[in-house]
Amino acid sequence: MAEPDPDTISSGAGQRLGAPETLGISTLDPGHRPPAMPPGRHVTIRVRMLDDTEELFDISQKASGKVLFDLVCSHMNLIEGDYFGLEFQNQQKMMVWLDHIKPIIKQLRRPKHTILRFSVKFFPPDHAQLLEELTRYLFALQIKQDLYCGRLTCNDTSAALMVSYIIQSEIGDFEESQCRSHLLNNNYIPDQMPLIDKIMEFHSKNIGQTPAESDYHLLEVARRLEMYGIRLHPAKDREGTKLSLTVAHTGVLVFQGHTKINAFNWSKVRKLSFKRKRFLIKLRPDLNSSCQDTLEFLMPSRDCCKVFWKICVEYHAFFRLFEEPKPKPKPVLFSRGSSFRFSGRTQKQVIEYVRESEFKKIPFERKHSRVQYSSRVQHNSRLSPLPSPSHREVPTDVSLLSGQFSCLTLPCIVVSSHYGHLWLRAGVVSNSPHLSASSGHSHGMVNGQKSLELCSHSPDGRLPSPLTSPLLNDACSVRTDDEDEVRRKRFPTDRAYFIAKELLTTERTYVKDLEVVTVSFQSAVGQDEATPDSLKDAIFSTFEPLHKFHTGFLREVEQRLALWEGRSNAHIKGDYQRIGDVLLKNLQGLKPLTANLSKQSEILLELEKACKASRRLEGLCRDFELQKVCYIPLNVFILRPLHRLIHYKQILERLCKHYPATHVDFRDCRAALADVSEVVDQLQGSLIKMENLQKLLELKKDLIGVDNLVVPGREFIRLGCLSKLSGKGLQQRMFFLFNDVILYTSRGMTATNQFKVHGQLPLHGMTIRESEDEWGVPHAFTLVGQQQSVVVAASSLVEMEKWMEDVKMAIEMAKTSNGPSSELLTSSLTDNKCPEDSSVEAESEDDMTAPHASLEKPTPHRGNTMVHVCWHRNTSVSMVDFSIAVENQLSGNLLRKFKNSNGWQKLWVVFTNFSLFFYKSHQDDYPLASLPLLGYSVTVPSESENIHKDYVFKLHFKSHVYYFRSESEYTFERWMEVIRSATVPSSRARGLNGKETHA
């Protein structure tokens, strides 16, 4: 093979997989390029990729193995490169991994004549831990190779099923003659001919699957096999019996032939060592076991022992340690033993790094795939949790850009669900020629930010759940400092004016929310025959009169504020700088309409019952929740009228507190406050029950494995992300605390984005204790049940204290209350046990065919609920937090600025449901983007940030920073207050005192 020019090699990075440029790899710090090449004679290294292509890399002989590996990963634009390695055959004819620390020249005696193989080195227990589609694609290629060479042994059903997924990704949907011809010309498994009919049968059931989905199903089947990721090393026991040793994420395994006969988990292993040909495993003392403390295996040679020992060291460090181990200090006189250590990120660091980093989403080309995407959509996701065809991603830092361009509707779906970024969905994007390559910005730079790239609709034409998305490119929205000064001189500065203006801005949002039910929901669902007449009557008899009333109320408030600001000449004389009279008049007129609000729970239950009875109605409601206009769960809109009464009460309390008793507006405000307080007090008890019911119904949509979550007497307390300690180490789990039970779940890898329930812990008879010292895990505590104990670790001390406080409270409640009488989990859950809870996972035909039944037609689902935000932000929220959040809603205009941008952009911002929702103006029917606030901090900018403006607050989460400017001291305080209600943990004592005003 001719050696290419070195410049050509370096400049062509990323071309193998069709990527336009190199943007960093996971073994490097964020934003860094591969390290500079050390001086010395260069040599061309040949690397065989997983798709069997060969690539040449020009590298200095003095360079370390890590430099070469970084070049390979950079060439593929591979972010999660830490799961992979370069292996080669050494002088002893053994396959060994390229050491990252040692120079190339000390490892490859004849570099020009050595072919290195790029292969999967670390096989995680669950491919859900692989966050990129490219990584899963490379794993699928590895599985394909292992099947072909006979390394991944399994029964015929499993083999046929996996081959069906492989050919689905390569040739597309099933067509009998094409499929048969392809299988006759291509071998995927040894002795393939007898299985062709079975493979074709499975392939016919894969219709509609994208290559990404096929990769997911392939890995789902493969990971359940006993030989998944297994690399056997021959050995003998003390009696001379031929065995094989291997290492996995769980520990060291012993095989006889292809059957696992023993396993030594990392938690049981005290030390691994070798002495000449003998490989030694020293176990921790166990009085209940008859196993010897030290096990000895004889391997073919000392080199074989050392190679296997190194692999064990790396596997243990990668899966069990939190961070890369530090190098041993150099001995003063002489060294004893090997100085080898694991070099690189651990799995925990890889996952955190990818989630926190911001990379441009790069398409890649599947070399083996013949599928044409003119009629199907190719899934080009970077940092995507799901191989779902309904998710299309773009750079996570592009939302809400300011610019000077015209706008058009973009048929683009954007979902960014992992980090401290904005949740995005379809909407508006710039259509200016300035965004072309001729502008000088290869990626369409707008005010220092990257612009959106075009992408396609999902195959079914639906939009995914997260909030609407695109760019806010309204040139008229950028406000100058001169305009600010004119505004300050023109409009009133009285605090009462800004309180009244808050009434106006929040009333605008409330009327829009009522229209979601009376207009949008009625047109989408209410006119369908599947909707029961009783449900139609209940909803629209409640909401249509409210919408009509509040439309008139909003008109009166707008007129009063126009007079207050002096923007109207409709009056000649009169004191219009007050709002109490308008409030008193309208709240008295609202009283008759609030009589039915105590029956909102009946609407929630009837809607749930109707959806259960009619699959068509259920689908209509689900599709409606995926529309842009339904920016929060539908049930939250149904409870809006109750929450709005609390907002009126808060506004009137602020006015009464501000006014002196002699003020002309004080008497009306006090009378209006008395009226609304009376109504709120009457509805208080039912509101708490309805909020709990609404939350249970919402959680039901996010959970798989629960039939009867919504039962009388069950109360939701807290949900959040904890790490569960098992034989495989700490694994991320989602926990749900109720007044009678704790559920623990994991995020499903299906298109529904739901969480799969793995088990339950009844609270009756449970105890809880701190156990950080016992297990050596920070912020750990143990839940000790009557039948099962679970050790979990929180992300911080604050999180641990919140969980322990709530669990203790729930345990006490369980002692004095009978709680729900029904069993929680379905019987099918026990058959679908979590892999981490079983020492041996049986392989059966039922398991192999399960994905067909559950994922044949995936159901779209919202991916931006608080459950998912907690999962990705590694935090938790309680029912008290939810209650405070819905009471502290706010709307209004804010100026927004990115960390590195110059201008301020005017946006209409709505705070609700723990998120900020962004609009171009208050007339818009749906938000263009949203920012979930869990995990964020709200502060005032420091002097060093050079934000020389008044009333500016700063939102920051890790590396993500946003600045917002408000128009007055009052609005600044209110925005800080409501945002803190979503970012600062609430006090349990505060919540137990009832639904007090959180003003």
Side-chain angles (χ1 to χ4, degrees):
M1 182 180 291
E3 295 185 9
D5 181 59
D7 295 335
T8 305
I9 294 177
S10 61
S11 65
Q15 295 306 308
R16 185 183 75 84
L17 293 176
E21 64 173 342
T22 298
L23 291 167
I25 59 176
S26 63
T27 51
L28 303 177
D29 291 332
H32 288 192
R33 292 290 187 263
M37 195 69 66
R41 189 166 67 89
H42 280 224
V43 66
T44 300
I45 305 292
R46 182 176 295 152
V47 177
R48 182 169 295 162
M49 301 298 183
L50 282 165
D51 59 359
D52 289 329
T53 61
E54 289 189 0
E55 302 292 339
L56 302 180
F57 296 90
D58 190 64
I59 193 169
S60 170
Q61 284 187 332
K62 294 182 180 180
S64 65
K66 183 177 185 297
V67 174
L68 175 60
F69 182 71
D70 287 351
L71 281 176
V72 175
C73 292
S74 178
H75 174 77
M76 294 186 290
N77 293 290
L78 178 62
I79 309 301
E80 296 174 292
D82 305 77
Y83 289 101
F84 302 85
L86 295 172
E87 58 179 350
F88 63 96
Q89 193 175 56
N90 64 9
Q91 285 185 310
Q92 290 76 33
K93 305 298 182 182
M94 292 188 301
M95 294 301 294
V96 296
W97 294 103
L98 187 71
D99 193 319
H100 284 193
I101 299 177
K102 287 184 179 180
I104 298 281
I105 196 171
K106 290 189 177 182
Q107 301 185 68
L108 306 179
R109 292 298 176 91
R110 303 177 65 190
K112 287 186 177 180
H113 303 283
T114 302
I115 298 179
L116 285 79
R117 295 191 65 95
F118 180 81
S119 305
V120 176
K121 187 175 185 179
F122 301 111
F123 290 81
D126 187 356
H127 52 280
Q129 296 168 334
L130 306 176
L131 302 181
E132 289 215 307
E133 182 189 332
L134 173 57
T135 313
R136 293 191 292 269
Y137 167 61
L138 295 174
F139 265 74
L141 291 179
Q142 183 70 64
I143 297 302
K144 178 183 174 183
Q145 283 189 6
D146 291 350
L147 276 173
Y148 177 76
C149 68
R151 181 186 289 169
L152 182 58
T153 59
C154 56
N155 60 39
D156 289 348
T157 302
S158 301
L161 184 60
M162 287 190 285
V163 172
S164 76
Y165 292 133
I166 294 173
I167 62 176
Q168 173 71 22
S169 66
E170 291 186 2
I171 67 174
D173 288 342
F174 176 76
E175 199 281 315
E176 185 173 359
S177 59
Q178 180 193 23
C179 180
R180 186 176 296 277
S181 174
H182 184 80
L183 289 172
L184 290 174
N185 294 321
N186 297 273
N187 277 335
Y188 295 98
I189 52 177
D191 197 20
Q192 178 175 290
M193 286 300 295
L195 296 179
I196 285 183
D197 290 337
K198 182 173 283 191
I199 293 171
M200 293 176 62
E201 179 186 351
F202 282 132
H203 185 204
S204 66
K205 299 178 182 178
N206 296 339
I207 292 176
Q209 283 185 13
T210 64
E213 291 176 307
S214 298
D215 289 347
Y216 160 72
H217 291 307
L218 174 65
L219 296 176
E220 179 67 23
V221 175
R223 77 177 183 89
R224 297 174 180 270
L225 302 176
E226 195 164 65
M227 296 298 292
Y228 170 68
I230 296 302
R231 305 293 182 259
L232 298 176
H233 298 258
K236 294 180 181 179
D237 62 11
R238 288 181 175 178
E239 285 74 32
T241 306
K242 290 185 178 181
L243 304 170
S244 296
L245 296 181
T246 187
V247 62
H249 61 277
T250 55
V252 180
L253 311 178
V254 183
F255 277 76
Q256 192 165 23
H258 292 290
T259 304
K260 183 169 67 175
I261 61 173
N262 211 340
F264 305 103
N265 288 342
W266 295 126
S267 58
K268 298 177 181 178
V269 176
R270 184 168 62 89
K271 185 178 181 181
L272 294 175
S273 60
F274 67 95
K275 188 174 183 181
R276 297 186 181 89
K277 293 183 180 182
R278 291 181 296 144
F279 186 80
L280 306 174
I281 303 176
K282 294 184 179 180
L283 303 176
R284 300 185 185 278
D286 187 357
L287 299 178
N288 299 323
S289 174
S290 60
C291 190
Q292 303 173 30
D293 290 344
T294 302
L295 300 171
E296 183 178 309
F297 297 90
L298 190 67
M299 303 191 81
S301 67
R302 179 189 180 277
D303 289 336
C304 291
C305 260
K306 187 171 184 179
V307 167
F308 182 63
W309 174 79
K310 283 184 174 181
I311 297 172
C312 291
V313 169
E314 292 185 309
Y315 251 84
H316 176 268
F318 184 75
F319 287 107
R320 294 284 286 184
L321 300 186
F322 287 155
E323 58 186 20
E324 177 183 353
K326 296 179 181 179
K328 293 181 180 178
K330 291 185 177 180
V332 178
L333 298 176
F334 58 88
S335 62
R336 186 178 180 184
S338 174
S339 62
F340 175 79
R341 69 178 179 90
F342 170 73
S343 173
R345 287 186 171 88
T346 65
Q347 187 193 30
K348 183 177 186 295
Q349 288 177 309
V350 173
I351 293 173
E352 290 179 351
Y353 171 77
V354 176
R355 285 179 173 172
E356 295 170 11
S357 302
E358 297 180 3
F359 292 99
K360 186 179 181 298
K361 286 43 175 192
I362 303 175
F364 68 89
E365 175 188 351
R366 294 169 177 266
K367 288 291 183 182
H368 297 279
S369 181
R370 304 178 187 176
V371 181
Q372 299 299 315
Y373 288 96
S374 57
S375 59
R376 299 177 60 183
V377 179
Q378 182 175 2
H379 177 62
N380 297 328
S381 70
R382 277 250 171 205
L383 306 175
S384 170
L386 296 174
S388 167
S390 64
H391 290 67
R392 303 289 177 271
E393 295 203 8
V394 296
T396 52
D397 58 353
V398 302
S399 51
L400 303 179
L401 311 184
S402 59
Q404 307 293 325
F405 311 114
S406 59
C407 300
L408 68 106
T409 300
L410 171 69
C412 174
I413 298 172
V414 188
V415 179
S416 176
S417 59
H418 290 115
Y419 321 103
H421 312 308
L422 301 173
W423 296 79
L424 303 177
R425 200 161 78 178
V428 185
V429 72
S430 171
N431 188 31
S432 169
H434 297 291
L435 283 179
S436 65
S438 63
S439 66
H441 302 279
S442 60
H443 298 291
M445 300 297 290
V446 184
N447 282 3
Q449 303 290 334
K450 294 178 181 178
S451 68
L452 273 175
E453 298 177 349
L454 294 178
C455 46
S456 304
H457 275 294
S458 58
D460 58 3
R462 292 192 181 104
L463 297 175
S465 58
L467 282 219
T468 61
S469 82
L471 310 182
L472 304 181
N473 289 330
D474 188 0
C476 300
S477 66
V478 180
R479 200 167 74 193
T480 65
D481 294 334
D482 292 338
E483 289 173 334
D484 281 341
E485 188 63 28
V486 171
R487 176 173 173 75
R488 286 195 184 95
K489 291 179 179 178
R490 179 179 176 185
F491 293 123
T493 57
D494 181 21
R495 187 178 182 87
Y497 162 75
F498 292 110
I499 298 175
K501 190 169 183 181
E502 179 182 333
L503 171 67
L504 169 65
T505 56
T506 53
E507 190 70 12
R508 283 172 173 166
T509 298
Y510 177 53
V511 170
K512 284 289 184 183
D513 287 348
L514 290 175
E515 289 174 359
V516 171
V517 179
T518 58
V519 179
S520 304
F521 184 73
Q522 184 174 14
S523 61
V525 179
Q527 297 176 358
D528 195 273
E529 295 178 357
T531 308
D533 292 337
S534 59
L535 178 61
K536 295 179 187 177
D537 295 341
I539 293 178
F540 302 119
S541 64
T542 300
F543 283 88
E544 285 183 344
L546 284 173
H547 178 252
K548 182 178 179 181
F549 172 83
H550 285 279
T551 301
F553 180 32
L554 174 61
R555 192 181 306 114
E556 287 189 39
V557 175
E558 287 175 333
Q559 292 171 354
R560 176 56 58 88
L561 264 293
L563 295 172
W564 198 330
E565 294 169 351
R567 292 187 289 116
S568 172
N569 58 1
H571 66 292
I572 298 175
K573 59 181 179 179
D575 182 10
Y576 291 103
Q577 294 190 352
R578 57 196 178 107
I579 196 69
D581 57 331
V582 177
L583 276 166
L584 178 60
K585 169 194 165 187
N586 283 277
L587 287 177
Q588 288 176 345
L590 181 63
K591 262 190 175 182
L593 299 179
T594 61
N596 294 328
L597 293 184
S598 59
K599 299 180 180 179
Q600 297 292 87
S601 58
E602 296 178 10
I603 296 178
L604 294 176
L605 289 172
E606 189 163 352
L607 179 60
E608 178 71 10
K609 182 180 177 182
C611 288
K612 274 186 177 181
S614 171
R615 183 167 295 182
R616 175 176 172 80
L617 179 60
E618 183 184 14
L620 289 171
C621 290
R622 182 177 60 245
D623 293 345
F624 176 72
E625 283 203 317
L626 296 180
Q627 291 183 18
K628 295 177 289 185
V629 71
C630 190
Y631 64 99
I632 52 178
L634 174 61
N635 288 342
V636 178
F637 285 108
I638 294 178
L639 296 187
R640 274 287 194 256
L642 289 161
H643 296 142
R644 188 58 183 157
L645 293 173
I646 297 176
H647 303 158
Y648 293 145
K649 181 181 177 183
Q650 293 173 346
I651 289 171
L652 284 163
E653 285 173 339
R654 293 190 194 99
L655 284 169
C656 290
K657 185 177 180 181
H658 168 70
Y659 285 139
T662 56
H663 194 279
V664 65
D665 205 25
F666 178 76
R667 180 176 295 179
D668 288 338
C669 287
R670 187 171 61 179
L673 176 60
D675 286 341
V676 74
S677 298
E678 179 185 352
V679 177
V680 169
D681 292 342
Q682 291 174 354
L683 296 173
Q684 190 67 57
S686 59
L687 175 59
I688 296 174
K689 294 179 181 178
M690 281 185 270
E691 285 182 344
N692 180 70
L693 173 62
Q694 182 269 322
K695 185 52 58 181
L696 291 176
L697 292 172
E698 184 180 331
L699 292 179
K700 182 181 176 183
K701 297 177 183 178
D702 282 314
L703 294 175
I704 299 176
V706 176
D707 265 351
N708 51 341
L709 182 68
V710 184
V711 294
R714 176 161 294 129
E715 296 179 16
F716 164 70
I717 298 176
R718 179 175 291 277
L719 64 85
C721 193
L722 296 170
S723 296
K724 180 175 178 290
L725 186 63
S726 69
K728 299 176 182 178
L730 289 172
Q731 294 186 319
Q732 186 180 7
R733 293 289 178 261
M734 198 71 187
F735 279 71
F736 298 83
L737 173 63
F738 301 93
N739 64 333
D740 62 321
V741 71
I742 299 176
L743 302 182
Y744 56 93
T745 70
S746 66
R747 226 285 284 272
M749 285 296 292
T750 67
T752 60
N753 264 345
Q754 292 166 292
F755 286 79
K756 178 181 177 182
V757 177
H758 288 315
Q760 63 175 329
L761 299 170
L763 293 181
H764 186 70
M766 178 184 286
T767 58
I768 182 174
R769 68 172 187 271
E770 291 189 39
S771 50
E772 181 174 334
D773 296 336
E774 180 181 352
W775 295 97
V777 178
H779 319 307
F781 57 94
T782 303
L783 303 170
V784 184
Q786 291 182 335
Q787 298 179 350
Q788 181 186 3
S789 296
V790 173
V791 180
V792 293
S795 59
S796 65
L797 178 62
V798 173
E799 278 292 311
M800 183 188 77
E801 290 174 346
K802 289 193 291 185
W803 273 105
M804 292 192 67
E805 181 183 4
D806 281 351
V807 172
K808 288 177 181 177
M809 179 204 70
I811 291 173
E812 291 301 316
M813 290 171 61
K815 291 179 182 177
T816 58
S817 172
N818 294 329
S821 58
S822 59
E823 290 295 325
L824 178 65
L825 300 181
T826 60
S827 58
S828 61
L829 181 64
T830 57
D831 300 329
N832 204 4
K833 195 174 182 181
C834 174
E836 70 177 9
D837 296 328
S838 57
S839 57
V840 179
E841 221 174 32
E843 176 194 344
S844 68
E845 295 188 13
D846 291 339
D847 290 336
M848 298 304 103
T849 56
H852 284 296
S854 59
L855 296 175
E856 189 172 357
K857 292 183 178 179
T859 304
H861 187 72
R862 298 188 72 95
N864 65 331
T865 62
M866 282 303 101
V867 182
H868 293 82
V869 177
C870 288
W871 174 263
H872 294 299
R873 303 268 174 88
N874 202 16
T875 186
S876 68
V877 289
S878 68
M879 190 63 211
V880 176
D881 298 322
F882 280 104
S883 299
I884 294 173
V886 295
E887 292 179 10
N888 284 290
Q889 295 177 18
L890 192 60
S891 308
N893 286 309
L894 288 175
L895 297 178
R896 198 283 331 280
K897 176 184 178 298
F898 286 120
K899 182 179 181 181
N900 298 318
S901 62
N902 297 320
W904 294 83
Q905 183 185 12
K906 184 179 179 182
L907 301 170
W908 177 261
V909 183
V910 174
F911 168 78
T912 186
N913 215 40
F914 295 95
S915 301
L916 293 179
F917 296 90
F918 301 95
Y919 302 73
K920 289 178 64 180
S921 73
H922 68 83
Q923 287 107 343
D924 291 353
D925 291 329
Y926 53 84
L928 297 175
S930 73
L931 179 65
L933 295 178
L934 290 180
Y936 268 79
S937 298
V938 55
T939 57
V940 177
S942 62
E943 288 291 332
S944 61
E945 294 173 87
N946 295 321
I947 307 294
H948 304 299
K949 302 291 180 183
D950 294 331
Y951 315 130
V952 176
F953 61 91
K954 169 185 169 184
L955 281 173
H956 55 100
F957 173 76
K958 296 183 178 179
S959 61
H960 313 289
V961 178
Y962 306 93
Y963 299 100
F964 294 92
R965 286 170 61 191
S966 53
E967 62 180 346
S968 68
E969 182 180 3
Y970 171 80
T971 53
F972 168 78
E973 292 171 354
R974 286 290 294 136
W975 280 108
M976 291 280 284
E977 180 183 341
V978 298
I979 291 174
R980 279 179 176 149
S981 73
T983 57
V984 178
S986 61
S987 167
R988 167 58 52 190
R990 184 183 186 183
L992 294 178
N993 290 332
K995 305 275 284 187
E996 59 187 73
T997 300
H998 305 283

